Amino acid sequence: MEIALTLGVQPGLLLMPKMTQPMTRRKVVGIDLGTTFCAMAHIDPYGKPQIIPNGESERLTPSVILFDGASVIVGTLAKNNSVAEAERIVDFVKREIGKPKEQFQREFNGKIYSAEELSALILRKLKADAEKYLKEPVTDAVITVPAYFNDAERTATITAGQLAGLNVLQIINEPTAAAVAYGLDKLNEDQTVFVFDLGGGTFDVTIMRIEGQGIHMLGTNGDHRLGGKDWDDVIVNHVAEEFDRAHGENPLLDLQSYQDLQSRALAAKIQLSSRPRTAIVHSHNGKSVKVELTREEFELKTRHLVEKCKTICEMVLQEARMEWSDINKVLLVGGMTRMPMVREMVAGLSSVPLVDDVNPDEAVAVGAAIQGILSLLREEETTGEKTLSEDTRRQFSSREGGLIQVTNITSHTLGVVLWDEAHLEEYVFPMIRKMTAIPATARNSFGTASANMQRAVVRIVEGESTLPAECTPLGLCDVELPAFLPKGSPVELTYEYNANQVLEVAVNASGNQAKVRIERNTGLAPDEVERATAGLGTIAVV
Ligand code: AMP
């Protein structure tokens, strides 16, 4: 099969300058922008990470938005109305972030909202609550995302932060943040950590190496539609069946009854984590049913969900070409890891000790807050400008271990579109494969598709498919070719992906060279933020 570069033109990615801010005192928070719940943390003046409670004095804020007339309500109040006012509610928006408006949009009060604008409303609430609690303006944030998020999803998360008035210092992977929270004082000990993160709506597994001053991702996988809600649904359906058996009526057809049952099921699930049995009483239309449920029965009914988690654990280990004996610790993250059946399954996978001295709901936000301070310290070192309080600087930089370098791996394959002459079709050749540690470099030589080609247009894409249409275009690198080149003349292609997630693609065709720099995850430029914020309006978020 002869491999040749295709010609063709496709719009490339816009290169956007980083957002700059006038230098003043800065306050950074770490935000775990979750599918079902958000958490926020900061570093207190004594150098200790602390969770910031929201305006309702809760440590976790439900990621639910209620459009209530001219104002927007985010959190528990919105969640409590999610069925009664379903048409004015947005939840699970994290699952939609990064999608263009053609694929996801919601309209309220005559305005169309994208997923990142809706996420910005959640972040606005978190920022406002933090400012009230801390009694100072919050300027910067480190926001966490699942390790499997692609470039569009990460960029949209940055944009959401910017729209909420935050300077997004960094987007870091949730398991990386959890490991930072866990490893801060223990970095003098090299270790390979398996992060098992089962939250309300997503499941993530990551293997990382904590070595000296660095955290290196070795592998990641997950299921972003598997979480605590699936366990809740099993109880909901079980009670509904019992209700139907007793009264010949499905209580789930009534929305209010459905919502009530959902909250009862969630409470029952949590009870079963500490008690061997529970009872769920459900009333609807003047009729009621009492369903007794033992932990054993519940575990039997949800065995398939735990098995799903187990398969993903084995898969990520295999993908990283590792054995359980290579793992030193298993770190439990996410509220669902409080459940005995989940802990037992993880404990049964190997004899590796489980680490649970980090609060599983809060570890991600705490790690992000720590990374935020480290980012600002690094900036201070570069610019010489002091933006942190003396106390914070002293407390934090004197910690053993000092600054942590977080090394990531590519979450998606970076490829080039080629022409397959044998099958007369385009396909994607992987240059830097998924899960390669970054920085990474790849070099390959290809032949020109025909004689006398005037230019070679290299189409750079991201994705796991070999079909160009199923990958995300990242940009173009266009090189003029010397005259009269025969077919199959060598075109050398180099991909360099650095630690700041900047991809540099260089093309060398018989001495003619071209280079393109694709700066990823940079969000909006200041003028674009201004325009977009104006578009979002001055909605009051409470
Ligand atoms: P997270 O997204 O990490 O905050 O995880 C939230 C999920 O954990 C929700 O599905 C909660 O119902 C669940 N959860 C929290 N605490 C417990 C507990 N003690 N037992 C079982 N599930 C819990």
Side-chain angles (χ1 to χ4, degrees):
M1 180 180 74
E2 190 170 345
I3 295 171
L5 283 172
T6 59
L7 282 175
V9 178
Q10 235 180 272
L13 264 197
L14 281 180
L15 305 185
M16 294 163 181
K18 276 210 183 307
M19 188 177 174
T20 53
Q21 280 207 340
M23 284 298 163
T24 48
R25 249 309 279 292
R26 286 161 74 172
K27 179 70 191 174
V28 59
V29 293
I31 300 177
D32 172 3
L33 183 61
T35 311
T36 50
F37 285 98
C38 297
M40 189 169 35
H42 79 122
I43 305 299
D44 73 12
Y46 306 103
K48 279 243 165 292
Q50 303 285 1
I51 287 290
I52 305 173
N54 65 15
E56 293 76 57
S57 305
E58 302 158 327
R59 295 167 78 83
L60 297 174
T61 304
S63 314
V64 183
I65 308 168
L66 168 67
F67 282 82
D68 187 27
S71 65
V72 169
I73 296 168
V74 173
T76 300
L77 190 55
K79 188 173 188 257
N80 291 343
N81 287 282
S82 59
V83 171
E85 304 191 69
E87 71 292 346
R88 293 198 278 131
I89 283 281
V90 182
D91 54 5
F92 295 102
V93 67
K94 184 172 176 177
R95 290 183 176 163
E96 315 298 338
I97 201 155
K99 286 188 183 161
K101 271 192 175 164
E102 305 85 80
Q103 278 176 34
F104 175 87
Q105 60 180 44
R106 295 288 302 267
E107 188 177 341
F108 297 100
N109 303 330
K111 174 169 167 43
I112 291 176
Y113 291 86
S114 65
E116 62 211 51
E117 287 170 330
L118 293 166
S119 302
L121 295 175
I122 298 175
L123 290 167
R124 270 195 194 182
K125 144 92 173 167
L126 297 178
K127 179 178 187 284
D129 285 1
E131 290 178 341
K132 233 180 270 165
Y133 177 80
L134 299 170
K135 299 188 176 61
E136 64 177 314
V138 170
T139 51
D140 298 77
V142 169
I143 306 177
T144 59
V145 294
Y148 55 74
F149 255 28
N150 68 15
D151 193 51
E153 292 161 329
R154 285 164 196 262
T155 305
T157 306
I158 296 177
T159 306
Q162 292 173 327
L163 293 177
L166 292 162
N167 182 42
V168 182
L169 289 171
Q170 247 184 320
I171 291 288
I172 62 171
N173 290 338
E174 287 156 8
T176 308
V180 169
Y182 158 69
L184 182 67
D185 300 310
K186 300 166 186 161
L187 284 182
N188 44 0
E189 184 191 333
D190 291 357
Q191 51 199 299
T192 303
V193 180
F194 187 95
V195 185
F196 181 100
D197 181 354
L198 185 59
T202 58
F203 176 52
D204 263 307
V205 178
T206 307
I207 302 175
M208 49 194 22
R209 178 89 187 141
I210 302 179
E211 208 167 53
Q213 302 284 289
I215 296 182
H216 313 279
M217 296 247 292
L218 303 177
T220 183
N221 211 318
D223 181 341
H224 51 285
R225 302 247 162 200
L226 178 64
K229 196 175 172 302
D230 296 294
W231 272 260
D232 303 347
D233 286 346
V234 168
I235 300 182
V236 167
N237 292 329
H238 175 57
V239 176
E241 273 166 27
E242 292 298 315
F243 193 98
D244 199 356
R245 209 188 320 270
H247 306 293
E249 197 179 328
N250 181 355
L252 304 185
L253 296 177
D254 176 79
L255 285 179
Q256 191 56 54
S257 155
Y258 188 14
Q259 180 171 18
D260 288 349
L261 192 46
Q262 271 182 332
S263 7
R264 275 184 235 289
L266 188 138
K269 172 190 73 176
I270 291 179
Q271 271 201 23
L272 287 175
S273 288
S274 52
R275 296 180 51 199
R277 61 179 62 246
T278 188
I280 305 124
V281 177
H282 184 64
S283 307
H284 167 59
N285 261 353
K287 299 161 200 149
S288 73
V289 64
K290 182 177 176 184
V291 180
E292 307 260 353
L293 188 62
T294 65
R295 188 190 291 169
E296 212 178 335
E297 284 167 336
F298 180 49
E299 290 184 351
L300 216 62
K301 285 178 187 298
T302 52
R303 180 62 39 206
H304 62 291
L305 298 171
V306 177
E307 286 300 319
K308 242 189 194 175
C309 296
K310 189 174 169 183
T311 308
I312 292 172
C313 289
E314 302 287 3
M315 219 154 77
V316 73
L317 203 68
Q318 239 175 35
E319 282 175 354
R321 295 190 186 84
M322 298 181 97
E323 309 273 340
W324 282 110
S325 55
D326 297 319
I327 307 287
N328 303 110
K329 286 187 177 104
V330 176
L331 174 55
L332 297 178
V333 184
M336 281 294 292
T337 60
R338 290 202 174 95
M339 191 182 271
M341 73 186 298
V342 173
R343 299 175 82 92
E344 276 157 26
M345 182 279 283
V346 184
L349 287 172
S350 70
S351 54
V352 180
L354 301 188
V355 179
D356 54 2
D357 50 345
V358 181
N359 190 337
D361 296 322
E362 301 174 354
V364 169
V366 163
I370 294 169
Q371 200 57 27
I373 292 284
L374 296 172
S375 280
L376 287 186
L377 278 172
R378 228 170 279 157
E379 259 188 46
E380 283 195 346
E381 276 177 10
T382 325
T383 61
E385 202 148 356
K386 302 289 181 219
T387 53
L388 288 166
S389 74
E390 264 314 313
D391 273 349
T392 309
R393 190 175 310 107
R394 197 180 48 248
Q395 291 291 340
F396 222 79
S397 48
S398 65
R399 269 173 181 258
E400 204 183 327
L403 299 186
I404 304 163
Q405 297 291 328
V406 178
T407 309
N408 274 331
I409 55 170
T410 53
S411 49
H412 293 270
T413 300
L414 299 166
V416 57
V417 178
L418 300 178
W419 177 249
D420 173 1
E421 254 196 357
H423 301 95
L424 297 179
E425 62 185 9
E426 287 183 341
Y427 75 104
V428 175
F429 178 84
M431 288 289 286
I432 297 178
R433 283 191 186 274
K434 177 183 172 181
M435 293 208 292
T436 306
I438 47 180
T441 303
R443 203 164 281 123
N444 268 298
S445 193
F446 305 100
T448 49
S450 57
N452 298 325
M453 270 172 63
Q454 291 174 359
R455 359 185 33 89
V457 180
V458 175
R459 282 162 54 195
I460 306 147
V461 296
E462 172 188 77
E464 305 320 308
S465 172
T466 53
L467 302 175
E470 290 179 359
C471 291
T472 311
L474 294 182
L476 299 172
C477 189
D478 183 355
V479 65
E480 203 170 307
L481 299 174
F484 311 120
L485 276 187
K487 179 180 172 184
S489 298
V491 176
E492 195 168 275
L493 199 56
T494 310
Y495 274 34
E496 263 186 55
Y497 195 30
N498 75 21
N500 291 326
Q501 316 235 22
V502 175
L503 173 66
E504 280 191 354
V505 174
V507 188
N508 184 344
S510 307
N512 282 14
Q513 295 179 3
K515 216 174 201 180
V516 65
R517 195 179 141 85
I518 299 171
E519 210 167 309
R520 317 177 80 210
N521 308 338
T522 49
L524 300 178
D527 57 326
E528 289 169 309
V529 172
E530 213 168 284
R531 269 202 306 279
T533 311
L536 204 53
T538 47
I539 301 164
V541 182
V542 288

